[in-house]
Amino acid sequence: MDTPAGERPTLKTIAFMTGLGITTVSRALKDAPEIGEETRRRVQLVAKQVGYRPNRAGVRLRTGKTNVISLILNTEQEVTGFSSDMIYGISEVLADTPYHLIVTPYSRRNDPMEPVRYVVETGSADGIIISRTEPDDPRVRYMLERGFPFAAHGRTHMGLEHPWHDFDNFAYARDAARALVEAGRHRLMLLEPSPTLSYHYHMRDGFHEGLYESGASEAPFNGVTLDSAIGDIKARTVELMRRPNRPDGIVSGSGGAAFAIVAGIMEAGLKLGRDVDLVSKQSSRLLHWFRREIFTVDEDIKLAGRELSAAVLKRIEGADTKTLQSLSVPDKPARG
């Protein structure tokens, strides 16, 4: 039976093609345990062949669910493919579920609470994933107070339990400082995240731990953060590299900023790997192709997407928050 052009296949279509009742088809598509494995496979195969998709409005009327997860994403998080990798990782997990991903963008110029309030108040999704987590994050407090399922890319310092996945930026910065000292560097500089973000404190604490252990000194990279424009980071690097007491080792909190730092080192007339060394996180392999002299540490943003989507789905099902927290431990810095 072919579905007439312009008409979407329904449960009735699948029932007709399989010779089963509509109720049986519906239960088979939901993996109901009372449906036999052979029947379930046959129904799901036919559904896939005809391009069946549940009617979202009908699902919401029957279950109160939207089958939607909203990723609330800063529109400026595109550097080195952060957004695409995050979306890819989330989509890998959602592909085997009834859930769909909707990206809800916002800009740093806007109140980050606005998209969260919109999704929660309109009920336009069953769960939310947020990024750029703050130490005292009003979004986290708001969703916890309303019992709305969510997961955060990053931890808060609020003393409140919530689902999260994070990269161990403390270990990253500590090991980066150690690697630079082992390479013969003694005056180290950290390009860190904005102090409005939780991982600013994790990264700074780890960097200072590495300095303390090794006896190296810090050269402040003041005036810019990872949120600064690439041109500003380059200009500040040039200025600092031209000073008589310039740093000889740099730790960068992101791969995008590392490009600007290398450009600044070169413009100052210095050679990477000879006059100064650089350690940087990267979420893609671009730095390896750009300069093999850079010490790099991979941060798997696709993994973060998978962990966050799995956490929010389990939270929707009522899983204990403390079981929905995960931390990625970085490898040691290594040259390309």
Side-chain angles (χ1 to χ4, degrees):
M1 174 184 175
D2 294 326
T3 304
E7 290 187 19
R8 58 184 293 168
T10 64
L11 292 176
K12 192 174 181 179
T13 309
I14 301 170
F16 180 87
M17 294 180 71
T18 58
L20 299 168
I22 291 177
T23 300
T24 301
V25 168
S26 176
R27 289 175 178 168
L29 291 172
K30 294 175 184 175
D31 288 324
E34 66 271 18
I35 302 299
E37 182 62 28
E38 183 179 343
T39 299
R40 185 160 47 243
R41 279 203 305 266
R42 180 156 59 101
V43 168
Q44 292 179 356
L45 176 62
V46 171
K48 185 175 181 180
Q49 289 174 337
V50 300
Y52 170 77
R53 294 289 183 273
N55 183 297
R56 240 187 251 170
V59 169
R60 187 166 185 176
L61 284 172
R62 291 193 305 275
T63 67
K65 290 186 176 182
T66 62
N67 282 352
V68 170
I69 300 298
S70 175
L71 170 63
I72 298 181
L73 199 61
N74 187 298
T75 55
E76 296 162 44
Q77 287 183 293
E78 261 311 328
V79 177
T80 63
F82 176 96
S83 296
S84 57
D85 284 349
M86 176 67 74
I87 291 169
Y88 187 93
I90 294 170
S91 299
E92 280 188 314
V93 172
L94 298 189
D96 295 325
T97 76
Y99 282 89
H100 301 265
L101 177 66
I102 290 180
V103 178
T104 306
Y106 75 97
S107 163
R108 270 185 287 175
R109 293 182 294 273
N110 304 124
D111 179 2
M113 278 295 299
E114 288 181 8
V116 174
R117 285 197 197 97
Y118 173 80
V119 172
V120 173
E121 292 174 4
T122 61
S124 50
D126 297 329
I128 288 175
I129 295 172
I130 61 171
S131 60
R132 293 183 63 84
T133 306
E134 300 175 5
D136 185 5
D137 200 308
R139 301 170 300 175
V140 169
R141 192 178 301 278
Y142 173 84
M143 289 186 284
L144 285 174
E145 288 173 350
R146 283 153 184 78
F148 195 89
F150 73 96
H153 188 209
R155 291 161 282 176
T156 62
H157 302 163
M158 302 160 65
L160 300 174
E161 295 289 351
H162 64 85
W164 53 262
H165 174 78
D166 206 357
F167 180 83
D168 193 342
N169 284 286
F170 179 96
Y172 161 69
R174 180 199 61 207
D175 294 347
R178 288 174 177 171
L180 289 171
V181 171
E182 289 171 4
R185 307 305 178 181
H186 304 288
R187 186 164 169 77
L188 311 185
M189 190 165 66
L190 172 66
L191 181 59
E192 60 199 18
S194 164
T196 62
L197 302 174
S198 296
Y199 82 110
H200 163 91
Y201 301 95
H202 305 151
M203 193 174 290
R204 275 210 66 76
D205 289 349
F207 183 67
H208 287 154
E209 179 78 8
L211 292 178
Y212 176 78
E213 289 178 350
S214 62
S217 61
E218 180 178 10
F221 206 152
N222 47 25
V224 288
T225 71
L226 294 177
D227 281 345
S228 299
I230 294 295
D232 292 340
I233 294 172
K234 176 190 171 186
R236 185 62 176 149
T237 302
V238 173
E239 181 184 347
L240 293 169
M241 289 293 116
R242 285 176 174 167
R243 291 182 176 180
N245 62 339
R246 65 171 178 81
D248 57 5
I250 305 172
V251 178
S252 173
S254 82
F259 288 96
I261 292 171
V262 172
I265 290 169
M266 294 173 62
E267 187 167 315
L270 302 174
K271 181 175 175 59
L272 185 67
R274 183 192 68 192
D275 304 308
V276 59
D277 272 310
L278 170 65
V279 180
S280 180
K281 281 200 301 182
Q282 63 173 3
S283 57
S284 68
R285 306 290 290 178
L286 293 178
L287 290 179
H288 287 295
W289 301 336
F290 177 55
R291 286 286 189 278
R292 298 189 69 83
E293 303 93 329
I294 300 174
F295 290 87
T296 58
V297 174
D298 293 334
E299 180 177 9
D300 192 339
I301 303 300
K302 291 180 184 177
L303 170 65
R306 293 195 295 271
E307 291 288 326
L308 290 165
S309 52
V312 76
L313 290 176
K314 289 176 183 175
R315 187 61 188 142
I316 290 170
E317 295 169 358
D320 183 353
T321 295
K322 291 182 180 179
T323 67
L324 308 177
Q325 300 168 343
S326 56
L327 185 67
S328 289
V329 179
D331 294 329
K332 302 299 181 184
R335 294 190 195 269

